[in-house]
């Protein structure tokens, strides 16, 4: 993909005393206290598409309440995109605490897209960017500015320009690995071997995926670059080699293997070669997930009878985390390091739960909506993606980490999602 050229407007420089340093939306803002934001249409068809994408991003986040277009259309058309041209009294009257304005022009065969976020109460621009790109990059431009909006209002950059990998059924006995934008658009198959490919996990640089494939009969680990290039098998043994998880440092991959009979956890260098045992249990250990420090892992095990979650480290030692439930599985450690999300069976169905990293304060995030499994955090820890059968076949959903704003994002079926890293 041709690199997107980003030009930052010189006029948006801020000093430490401006509104840009203010936090408008606390990270733990209750779901029923959404930030009112106005995002009017941008003139031209391409401009409207950009506005539509940004509006959808804001809605997906669960942090914003969009001011209806019908209430702002007439005034927005009369304004420009500078503070001097805007009727801030009107924007305050419709209770918009943020206003997004923009324009699209053509220059030397390229699109020049200018986007700005204003605080109508201060009468100031909070952030402004100008992007120069081809038409095919419009979605990327919109997502990038959505990231800027989140950073300006919360102090933490958004994840709208990230991607999600997942497995999808493509035929009888077939599952391929797909990658899509975090809003569900642009799904593309990474594998096309007409076999069973499951459990993708991203490299920290976002350029490769490790996954389990039956393409040669045995369930083995493979690494592939995005775009379907550079496929290589890395698990050297026999047995089932499943649930891989790439270490945040990029050096190791943890996974479960039955190479010696019972499923235990192993690590292997990302380049392959020798497997090293991480656990030595007489019962099943499976589904490892790394802590942000790359030294600790959470995993699921039957060593206490029924599946429960445990914690270990590269230095050894195992501590039990869950004592309630009878099938706690598929954990994922938050990039912030303080929370673990997992799937647990209750009343016959799987639901998503979250807890502190020491096993305390377990909270339920889904209930009464089919089976909900395979949760993984977004790279900023604010959101969780998961698979759910609430609409029939398993498909990919996302929600805030407090369980609010549960929204389907995949256009087709999907399971075993893995949220990719935030890369520049």
């Amino acid at each position: 993909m041709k690199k997107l050229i980003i030009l930052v407007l010189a006029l948006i420089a801020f000093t430490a005393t401006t509104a840009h340093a203010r936090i408008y939306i606390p990270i733990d803002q209750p779901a029923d206290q959404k930030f009112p934001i106005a995002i009017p249409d941008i003139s031209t068809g391409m401009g409207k598409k950009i506005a539509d994408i940004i509006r959808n991003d804001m809605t997906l986040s669960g942090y914003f309440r969009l001011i209806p277009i019908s209430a702002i259309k007439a005034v927005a058309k009369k304004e420009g995109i500078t503070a001097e041209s805007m009727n801030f009294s009107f924007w305050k009257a419709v209770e918009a605490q943020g206003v997004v304005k923009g324009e699209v022009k053509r220059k030397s065969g390229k699109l020049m897209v200018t986007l700005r976020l204003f605080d109508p109460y201060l009468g100031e621009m909070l952030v402004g960017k100008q992007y120069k790109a081809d038409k095919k990059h419009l979605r990327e431009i919109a997502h990038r500015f959505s990231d800027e909006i989140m950073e300006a209002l919360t102090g933490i950059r958004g994840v709208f320009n990230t991607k999600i990998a997942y497995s999808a059924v493509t035929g009888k006995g077939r599952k391929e690995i797909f990658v899509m934008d975090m809003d569900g658009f642009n799904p593309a198959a990474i594998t096309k071997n007409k076999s069973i490919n499951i459990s993708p996990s991203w490299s920290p640089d976002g350029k490769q995926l490790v996954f389990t494939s039956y393409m040669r009969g045995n369930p083995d680990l493979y690494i592939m670059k995005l775009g379907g290039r550079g496929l290589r098998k890395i698990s050297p043994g026999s047995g089932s080699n499943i649930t891989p998880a790439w270490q945040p440092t990029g050096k190791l991959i943890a996974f479960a293997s039955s190479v010696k009979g019972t499923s235990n956890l192993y690590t292997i260098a990302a380049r392959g070669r020798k497997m090293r045992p991480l656990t030595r249990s007489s019962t099943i250990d499976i589904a490892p997930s790394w802590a942000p420090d790359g030294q600790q892992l959470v995993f699921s095990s039957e060593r206490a009878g029924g599946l429960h979650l445990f914690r270990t480290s590269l230095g050894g030692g195992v501590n039990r985390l869950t004592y309630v439930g009878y099938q706690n599985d598929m954990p994922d450690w938050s990039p912030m390091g303080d929370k673990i999300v997992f799937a647990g069976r209750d009343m016959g169905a799987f639901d998503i739960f979250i807890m502190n990293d020491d096993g305390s304060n377990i909270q339920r995030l889904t209930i009464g909506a089919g089976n909900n499994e395979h949760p993984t955090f977004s790279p900023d820890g604010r959101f969780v993606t998961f698979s759910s059968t609430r609409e029939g076949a398993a498909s990919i959903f996302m929600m805030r980490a407090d369980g609010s704003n549960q929204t389907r994002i995949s256009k087709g079926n999907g399971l075993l999602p893995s949220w990719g890293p935030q890369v520049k």
Side-chain angles (χ1 to χ4, degrees):
M1 178 181 291
K2 187 175 180 180
K3 188 176 180 180
L4 179 67
I5 303 172
I6 302 176
L7 305 174
V8 182
L9 293 174
L11 54 86
I12 64 169
F14 284 85
T15 66
T17 59
T18 65
H20 187 61
R22 175 182 172 186
I23 299 299
Y24 288 73
I25 306 174
I27 200 65
D28 57 352
Q29 178 170 293
D32 60 352
Q33 297 179 18
K34 296 183 179 181
F35 185 90
I37 190 169
I39 309 175
D41 284 336
I42 301 171
S43 61
T44 75
M46 288 178 288
K48 185 179 184 304
K49 181 178 179 180
I50 291 172
D52 285 341
I53 295 168
I54 296 174
R55 283 192 288 256
N56 186 57
D57 287 343
M58 299 300 101
T59 301
L60 276 179
S61 76
Y63 283 92
F64 296 89
R65 174 174 63 84
L66 293 175
I67 305 297
I69 296 295
S70 58
I72 61 178
K73 186 176 182 179
V75 171
K77 275 188 173 182
K78 298 176 183 178
E79 297 179 331
I81 64 170
T82 63
E84 294 74 19
S85 68
M86 293 178 64
N87 183 352
F88 288 123
S89 295
F90 167 78
W91 296 111
K92 289 187 287 185
V94 297
E95 300 181 342
Q97 295 183 30
V99 181
V100 174
K101 301 299 290 286
E103 67 178 13
V104 178
K105 294 181 178 180
R106 287 190 176 275
K107 184 177 180 180
S108 302
K110 300 287 185 180
L111 295 178
M112 297 294 296
V113 181
T114 304
L115 295 167
R116 295 170 180 172
L117 171 67
F118 293 89
D119 178 337
Y121 289 85
L122 295 178
E124 293 181 357
M125 183 172 65
L126 300 182
V127 64
K129 298 286 178 176
Q130 187 176 77
Y131 307 88
K132 178 182 178 182
D134 296 323
K135 180 180 178 180
K136 65 181 180 180
H137 292 300
L138 282 183
R139 291 188 57 80
E140 187 175 352
I141 289 172
H143 288 319
R144 284 182 178 270
F145 194 71
S146 293
D147 288 345
E148 297 285 352
I149 293 172
M150 288 295 284
E151 185 169 13
L153 298 177
T154 70
I156 302 172
R157 190 167 182 81
V159 293
F160 301 107
N161 213 38
T162 57
K163 296 183 180 296
I164 294 172
Y166 61 101
S167 180
V169 177
T170 57
K172 186 176 180 179
R174 299 177 183 176
K175 292 185 178 76
E176 303 287 2
I177 303 297
F178 284 74
V179 171
M180 65 181 175
D181 296 347
M182 65 80 65
D183 59 359
F185 285 82
N186 296 329
I190 300 301
T191 63
K192 298 178 182 178
N193 54 51
K194 299 181 180 180
S195 182
I196 297 176
N197 304 274
I198 56 175
S199 303
S201 176
W202 292 85
S203 62
D205 63 5
K207 295 180 179 180
Q208 301 179 89
L209 291 167
V210 61
F211 57 95
T212 293
S213 179
Y214 290 72
M215 69 177 77
R216 298 176 186 171
N218 193 65
D220 283 308
L221 301 188
Y222 293 82
I223 287 178
M224 178 180 283
K225 295 179 181 179
L226 291 191
R229 298 174 292 106
L231 176 70
R232 55 192 175 93
K233 176 176 172 288
I234 63 167
S235 53
S238 57
S240 294
N241 302 286
I242 57 176
T243 61
W246 214 309
Q247 186 185 36
T249 64
K251 295 180 180 180
L252 298 175
I253 292 169
F255 64 103
S257 178
S258 62
V259 65
K260 293 187 177 181
T262 303
S263 176
N264 272 274
L265 301 187
Y266 292 80
T267 61
I268 191 170
R271 62 182 179 275
R273 299 186 183 179
K274 187 176 180 180
M275 296 166 52
R276 297 183 181 276
L278 188 61
T279 63
R280 293 180 173 88
S281 174
S282 60
T283 59
I284 291 173
D285 291 345
I286 196 171
S289 174
W290 294 92
D293 64 6
Q295 299 299 308
Q296 304 176 82
L297 301 100
V298 60
F299 64 99
S300 185
S301 175
E302 290 187 338
R303 63 183 66 201
L307 281 173
H308 278 281
L309 301 186
F310 292 78
R311 180 173 175 169
T312 189
S313 70
L314 293 179
V318 174
N319 297 311
R320 185 175 177 179
L321 295 179
T322 62
Y323 292 85
V324 296
Y326 65 94
Q327 198 166 355
N328 299 322
D329 196 7
M330 301 167 264
D332 190 55
W333 209 314
S334 168
M336 302 298 103
D338 59 337
K339 300 288 183 180
I340 292 171
V341 67
F342 64 97
R345 187 184 289 276
D346 182 51
M347 297 181 290
F350 274 104
D351 276 302
I352 307 298
F353 297 82
I354 195 169
M355 65 183 182
N356 294 335
D357 68 336
D358 62 0
S360 64
N361 192 29
I362 296 178
Q363 297 178 322
R364 188 175 193 145
L365 301 183
T366 65
I367 187 170
N371 281 299
N372 302 278
E373 304 177 79
H374 314 120
T376 61
F377 280 102
S378 61
D380 62 357
R382 285 188 284 203
F383 308 101
V384 173
T385 185
F386 60 101
S387 65
S388 178
T389 61
R390 65 187 64 185
E391 295 181 4
S395 50
I396 309 299
F397 285 70
M398 67 170 283
M399 60 183 166
R400 280 178 50 174
D402 62 5
S404 64
N405 206 50
Q406 296 180 25
T407 307
R408 178 175 175 171
I409 53 175
S410 67
K411 308 307 177 187
N413 76 86
L415 65 159
L416 297 159
S418 176
W419 206 315
Q422 193 170 48
V423 294
K424 295 182 178 180

